[in-house]
Amino acid sequence: MADKGYVSAELDRWLAERGVRLLRPSYRNRVPRRDEHLLKPVRQLIESVNDTLKGQLDLELHGGRSIEGVTARVAQRLLAMTAAIWHNRATGQPVTRSLIAYDH
C-alpha cells in the first residue's frame, strides 16, 4: 500500500518483475485502479489508530532518549491501550477505545 505520490512506470515495472502489486489510489484525472476501493477502510483505520496514538497516548511526547527508551515507552503505551480496550469490551463499556476512565 502506498500514497498516490508513488506513481512511476519504472516503479510499477520493477515491482511487477518481483511479483509485487502496489495498492495505491489513482489521481482524480485518471481511471480508477483495480482494488482501489479496498484502500478507504484501511486508510480510515490507520488514521484512527494514528490519532489515538498521538492524542490519547501522547506518543509525540514520549520522552525517550535512546531508541531502546522510545521503544519501551511506545510498547508500554500500546500495551496499556490494549488492556483498556480489552477491559472496556469485557465490561460492556459503550466506548472501547477510551482511556478517560483511567486518567487519574
Side-chain angles (χ1 to χ4, degrees):
M1 291 179 59
D3 191 69
K4 61 184 166 186
Y6 287 89
V7 174
S8 161
E10 181 182 350
L11 175 61
D12 289 342
R13 196 170 32 258
W14 188 85
L15 292 172
E17 289 170 1
R18 286 152 181 80
V20 176
R21 192 176 85 222
L22 185 62
L23 185 58
R24 69 170 180 257
S26 59
Y27 284 103
R28 288 186 190 133
N29 60 352
R30 298 210 177 149
V31 175
R33 294 173 56 92
R34 188 182 71 160
D35 298 336
E36 187 174 336
H37 65 282
L38 300 173
L39 289 172
K40 187 174 183 178
V42 173
R43 183 178 180 112
Q44 289 173 338
L45 176 65
I46 291 169
E47 293 297 329
S48 176
V49 168
N50 285 342
D51 186 55
T52 298
L53 293 175
K54 287 194 270 182
Q56 287 192 26
L57 303 183
D58 289 331
L59 285 189
E60 291 181 328
L61 304 171
H62 51 71
R65 296 185 180 159
S66 66
I67 191 68
E68 294 83 10
V70 172
T71 302
R73 289 166 188 245
V74 169
Q76 177 185 48
R77 287 175 167 103
L78 289 173
L79 289 170
M81 178 58 109
T82 303
I85 291 170
W86 173 84
H87 183 267
N88 287 343
R89 283 186 179 165
T91 59
Q93 300 302 313
V95 179
T96 58
R97 284 186 37 223
S98 177
L99 296 176
I100 293 172
Y102 312 102
D103 189 18
H104 301 302

